[in-house]
Amino acid sequence: EASSFGDDVPPSAWAGRKTFFDIPVFTIDGADAKDFDDAVSLEERAEGGWRLGVHIADVSHYVKEGTALDLEARRRSTSVYLSGAVVPMLPFPLSDNLCSLRPHVPRLTLTCLMDLNAAGEVVHHAIFESVIRSVRRFTYDEVESLLKGETAIDVSPPVQSAVARMGQL
């Protein structure tokens, strides 16, 4: 059932979804993380403040209630991490591919956009279906280095700026 979706997200699956291809969206995980199921973005609002995006892999697009995938995921309950191995809640075609927010490939997501004022208070939010193309996978150590003002290899100025602004926010 998991293999039936293929290896790529077809553009037809984007229909009706907001795309986040023109702003830096990136993941931040531990160096040894095996799945990349959440990403963030940050934009400055013209009227002041910020728009923070939290983008979560849209597993519900693939796992429908009552299907074999759903029943097996319920049986497993969660992914299990062992020394040097992982037993994922979802089969590898989903957990390692279609539901993994890998850089430079479109992935279906559920997004929460939050408008924050200059004090960092949420003044508005919206949740909707979306599609992203992550520009980078960060580790926590890389982000910490950027927040300390250090530079990182393969980080564009807009991405470096977004990370710095997130740290300030």
Side-chain angles (χ1 to χ4, degrees):
E1 199 172 291
S3 296
S4 72
F5 297 107
D7 292 331
D8 300 308
V9 178
S12 61
W14 309 350
R17 291 176 179 259
K18 178 170 173 50
T19 59
F20 288 87
F21 295 162
D22 298 327
I23 62 169
V25 177
F26 45 87
T27 61
I28 307 171
D29 291 283
D32 58 349
K34 301 292 185 217
D35 62 348
F36 313 109
D37 56 6
D38 55 272
V40 292
S41 60
L42 187 68
E43 301 173 88
E44 192 166 359
R45 296 175 57 220
E47 59 274 13
W50 306 96
R51 177 161 289 153
L52 174 65
V54 177
H55 314 273
I56 307 296
D58 186 1
V59 174
S60 69
H61 179 82
Y62 304 101
V63 181
K64 302 298 183 194
E65 190 170 355
T67 63
L69 283 170
D70 177 46
L71 298 175
E72 182 62 16
R74 288 172 188 253
R75 188 184 71 75
R76 292 183 184 197
S77 301
T78 187
S79 296
V80 177
Y81 293 88
L82 307 166
S83 180
V86 63
V87 178
M89 182 173 71
L90 297 173
F92 285 110
L94 294 178
S95 64
D96 279 8
N97 187 24
L98 292 174
C99 295
S100 184
L101 306 180
R102 299 180 328 197
H104 312 299
V105 292
R107 291 293 180 250
L108 303 179
T109 48
L110 299 174
T111 290
C112 179
L113 279 187
M114 295 161 272
D115 290 344
L116 296 99
N117 62 21
E121 300 165 326
V122 176
V123 295
H124 179 263
H125 77 280
I127 299 172
F128 49 87
E129 294 180 334
S130 55
V131 58
I132 68 164
R133 186 182 299 126
S134 171
V135 296
R136 185 129 182 347
R137 174 192 180 252
F138 280 108
T139 65
Y140 294 124
D141 290 340
E142 289 174 319
V143 169
E144 184 176 354
S145 293
L146 288 173
L147 293 176
K148 290 179 179 177
E150 300 168 11
T151 58
I153 297 171
D154 297 330
V155 180
S156 69
V159 173
Q160 190 158 346
S161 176
V163 171
R165 287 183 298 194
M166 283 182 188
Q168 293 168 351
L169 190 60

